Amino acid sequence: DTAEATFSDLDLNQFIHDAIEEYTSRFPRRAFTTLTLTADTREYALTSTTYEGIRQVVGVEYPTGDDPPRYLKPRSRTDPDGFWGGPYWDTEGYDPPTALLIGEKPTAGQSLELEWLRDHDFPDADSDALTVPDSDLNLLHLHIRWSAFGALEMGEASAPTVDTGLLGHLHSAIAGARLDW
């Protein structure tokens, strides 16, 4: 067939967005933030733009600067074995977490390092750098190919051409692309 499928920039950008979103659901991006603590304050908001795209807290080093580093343990603040006063952390809210709670009372000037998982950035322009590692760009490419085949199949199913085998070929191409993903 000499006809070529073409997609608009809007379609291609949506395919890229969908691929990054799918990749993020499996391999979120690691981020680290250092918080300067306030005396006797055990709750810290995770809602500023610093935490945009936060998915989960995975580690809390407290206080920072110890050698070897000291990490708090995750524990529910309602745990019957205790939380308050102990070397523990918990989050408030779910998907996304909205606050970090620590069991110990900090003193003024102490800090903690928060390790968290976040979304990968979506590019606003073709020249924007991706936060997906270069070694995994092939996964984005495969997802985009899968999406393109899906769009072609939907177009063929809604307005069939004379070639009755095309829909079957597209369906097979989608299955192969999904397996490659």
Side-chain angles (χ1 to χ4, degrees), residues 77-96:
R77 64 188 169 282
T78 60
D79 191 298
D81 290 331
F83 175 84
W84 303 111
Y88 309 112
W89 65 269
D90 192 11
T91 56
E92 202 167 84
Y94 180 77
D95 199 23

Side-chain angles (χ1 to χ4, degrees), residues 118-132:
R118 62 165 298 178
D119 295 339
H120 284 275
D121 295 339
F122 297 108
D124 292 325
D126 292 344
S127 60
D128 287 354
L130 295 177
T131 58
V132 172

Side-chain angles (χ1 to χ4, degrees), residues 13-130:
N13 288 336
Q14 186 63 53
F15 297 161
I16 293 167
H17 181 279
D18 293 346
I20 292 171
E21 188 173 321
E22 183 78 16
Y23 180 86
T24 295
S25 72
R26 288 171 168 74
F27 308 105
R29 184 173 156 202
R30 287 200 176 283
F32 298 87
T33 304
T34 301
L35 298 172
T36 301
L37 306 179
T38 306
D40 299 330
T41 302
R42 296 180 178 188
E43 183 173 340
Y44 296 88
L46 301 176
T47 54
S48 71
T49 55
T50 301
Y51 303 103
E52 189 172 327
I54 187 170
R55 289 179 170 258
Q56 175 184 357
V57 172
V58 293
V60 177
E61 179 187 347
Y62 170 76
T64 57
D66 284 359
D67 187 19
R70 178 178 179 256
Y71 294 92
L72 301 181
K73 298 174 193 138
R75 180 181 276 189
S76 171
R77 64 188 169 282
T78 60
D79 191 298
D81 290 331
F83 175 84
W84 303 111
Y88 309 112
W89 65 269
D90 192 11
T91 56
E92 202 167 84
Y94 180 77
D95 199 23
T98 56
L100 173 72
L101 303 160
I102 57 175
E104 299 177 353
K105 282 187 182 181
T107 59
Q110 283 186 311
S111 61
L112 66 76
E113 182 161 290
L114 184 66
E115 181 179 357
W116 47 290
L117 301 178
R118 62 165 298 178
D119 295 339
H120 284 275
D121 295 339
F122 297 108
D124 292 325
D126 292 344
S127 60
D128 287 354
L130 295 177

Side-chain angles (χ1 to χ4, degrees), residues 136-148:
D136 288 346
L137 292 179
N138 62 323
L139 294 175
L140 298 185
H141 180 262
L142 289 169
H143 194 283
I144 292 164
R145 192 177 86 184
W146 174 66
S147 297

